[in-house]
Each structure stands twice: as C-alpha cells, then as structure tokens.
Amino acid sequence: MSPAHPVRRRSDAVANRAALLDAAERVLLRDGPAVPLDVVAREAGVGIATLYRNFADREELYAAVTHRSYALVAALAQEAEDSAAPPLDALAGFLDRLLAECRHLALPLLGGPLPEDGGDPLGPRISRSLAAVLKRGVDDGSIRPDATAADLVVTGAMLAPAQLPPEAWGRAARRIAALVLDGLRARSDTVRLPAGLTGTELDRAMTRGGGEAPAC
C-alpha cells in the first residue's frame, strides 16, 4: 500500500472531526442541545457512523464543542491579560473580539449544554485572566475596586447572542459594551455596586449541579 494512503485517511479523519465540531456548534446555537445527532451528521456532510467513530455519544460531542468555545474565550482573555494597553483598553479589546466571535461561542450561558459538575477547566482560567486585568486597573486607579471578572463574563454572555438583525445588534451591543466599560472607571463619586455573583457561584451556575436559577 502506498504510504500516501494512511496519510490521506488521517487527513480525512481530521477534516471529518472538524466538520462535525463546526456543525454541532451551529446546531447547538440554532436548535439547542436536544436536536437529534443525525441532524449534526447531515449538516457536517458525513454519515452518522462517522459521527460515532469520532464521538461516543452526544455528551462527548457537545463537551468537545463547548471546550473549543472555552478555548477561544480563554485565548481572548489571555490576550487581554498580556496586553501592554491600559486596563480599560485591554478589556475593551476583549469584549470587542468576543462579540466578533459570537457565532463560535457554544457556551452554557449562550445556549450551549450545561456540563457535568465541575464544568470546563478553562472557565476558571478565563476568570483569572480577566481578574488580573481588573486588578491592574484597580492598582493604577483607573478601574473601580468592586468590579469582578464575573461581571465581565455575564456582560459578554448578555451581549453575544444577537437579539436584532446582525448588523443592528452588532452596533447596539458594542454601544452597550462601551457603557459597561465606562461604568468600570474609577470615579471619586462612585456608588458601590450591589452584590453580584462570585466566580465560584458563576462556575457552579454553569454546571448541571448548579441548581435552579434564582428568580429575577
């Protein structure tokens, strides 16, 4: 057998797996996690047997999609943490890039499936990166001291899913993000914020062990 054949098969397998993840991402955000898996396979352009060769079951497939979304957000948060820009500018860049990637965020707060207890390990990493940027701003006096990483995560989750036609929502969401960022500025007359979610509470709320959401 030609050495090219195993290489081609591996390349096809990688392409099939990527197509399945892309399709599952679209289906999750469009139809929700209960959609039949044959819909995912059909949208990926492969047979259901190919899906099951790559993922043992629905949970494994959706966990892979969700982890890929977490990895994207973690990279954006790390970029903000590593940025030499002023803290508020770094956070503005984070939110702007997050909104630009909203079609690839199959996360629990954005309609994706809730993970098992413990959640994805990248969730806490995202919070740590954002907390580091906030601390830098608190230390240099540019950011109010009661702002938290959970505030930024919830802001991103509220703004990412389009609730108007895409172009209109893009402009509206970026305006709201700018208002939120302005609210993060430290001012001499700042009134302390009401209690919000801690990072631990947010992580717990995004798992199947999180219990019922509190009433508004």
Side-chain angles (χ1 to χ4, degrees):
M1 180 179 293
S2 167
H5 290 173
V7 173
R8 186 175 66 245
R9 284 202 298 270
R10 285 196 297 272
S11 177
D12 289 345
V14 170
N16 286 339
R17 182 180 176 86
L20 284 163
L21 288 172
D22 290 343
E25 177 185 274
R26 291 192 299 272
V27 167
L28 270 172
L29 295 175
R30 185 186 68 215
D31 303 325
V35 68
L37 289 185
D38 61 346
V39 173
V40 176
R42 187 163 59 249
E43 185 140 343
V46 302
I48 190 68
T50 298
L51 187 152
Y52 281 115
R53 278 198 298 273
N54 283 272
F55 303 99
D57 52 28
R58 178 188 305 273
E59 286 69 27
E60 185 175 313
L61 170 62
Y62 287 169
V65 173
T66 302
H67 182 75
R68 190 171 69 162
S69 296
Y70 271 114
L72 172 58
V73 181
L76 297 179
Q78 185 67 55
E79 184 180 330
E81 181 180 1
D82 295 342
S83 173
L88 278 170
D89 290 346
L91 294 176
F94 168 76
L95 288 176
D96 186 64
R97 292 176 181 84
L98 189 72
L99 294 177
E101 298 289 352
C102 63
R103 295 181 182 178
H104 302 292
L105 301 179
L107 294 166
L109 286 178
L110 296 171
L114 290 172
E116 298 293 348
D117 291 3
D120 192 285
L122 290 176
R125 184 189 300 179
I126 293 167
S127 294
R128 286 195 298 272
S129 289
L130 295 176
V133 183
L134 288 170
K135 183 179 185 303
R136 197 160 71 237
V138 171
D139 289 347
D140 71 14
S142 63
I143 291 180
R144 57 187 302 154
D146 53 350
T148 69
D151 297 330
L152 292 167
V153 171
V154 172
T155 296
M158 292 171 65
L159 297 180
Q163 300 173 44
L164 293 169
E167 191 277 335
W169 183 248
R171 286 191 291 124
R174 283 175 171 78
R175 179 181 173 88
I176 295 167
L179 288 170
V180 170
L181 290 164
D182 189 61
L184 289 177
R185 295 182 188 278
R187 294 179 173 87
S188 60
D189 59 347
T190 295
V191 177
R192 185 166 182 81
L193 294 167
L197 290 176
T198 65
T200 299
E201 289 171 329
L202 182 62
D203 291 340
R204 188 183 304 124
M206 289 193 295
T207 69
R208 294 178 187 174
E212 295 183 0
C216 293

